[in-house]
Amino acid sequence: MDFPELVWPSVIKTVKNWIMVHFIIRPYFDREFTLPDFVQGAKQALQVVSASLAGGELKNLDGLVERQTLNDLKTAVGKMSVAQRFDLMVAKEDIYFSFPYQVGVMFDEEDEDSQKRFVEITMVFHVLKGLKGMIERGDQIPLNIGVMPEFRDKICICNYRFIKEFTKGVDSDWTVNIVNHFKASDLAEEANQ
């Protein structure tokens, strides 16, 4: 999708995210909300969405992914080879680093009677294909895995943005409105050009 490729956390955004969660979202929108619980749910959503994309079964994503995003994904996935689609699949056990990049609150004031309120969270996931198997075999996983040539092509980064409506009287679920998968090795090649 046409979305900036987010890779690393920002200290300023991390502080703003903490403030948004603890001083806006929890007191005014959802007292039970916690970022660790959200991150676990986001990992599960990443696994479900990526498996459906890899299998070309986008109908399974109705209700989990916003309609316009789903249309964009159908177009993008339709242009991919089977191998490229297979590369999209992510097992949540292969995620070795994830963080909320940005937490935001939006207000839609078109209707004067009911002010619509939304929370949007952009997540970044670093994935090493086969990490689960490496752990099960007891392989030592080096800390500098991202710069080691034998792992560079197995690392991908996924940016997913989630949105939920918190307007009074509206019961809504988190849905995905941005999906972006890219390989870390592609970023390195672009930087060297």
Side-chain angles (χ1 to χ4, degrees), residues 144-154 185:
N144 61 344
I145 202 162
V147 295
M148 297 180 73
E150 61 267 28
F151 294 112
R152 285 186 60 194
D153 288 338
K154 294 180 180 181
S185 58

Side-chain angles (χ1 to χ4, degrees), residues 158-178:
C158 305
N159 300 155
Y160 277 47
R161 191 171 67 194
F162 297 83
I163 190 167
K164 181 175 180 178
E165 185 172 354
F166 282 96
T167 305
K168 286 188 191 251
V170 174
D171 188 25
S172 153
D173 291 322
W174 289 101
T175 56
V176 178
N177 65 0
I178 292 288

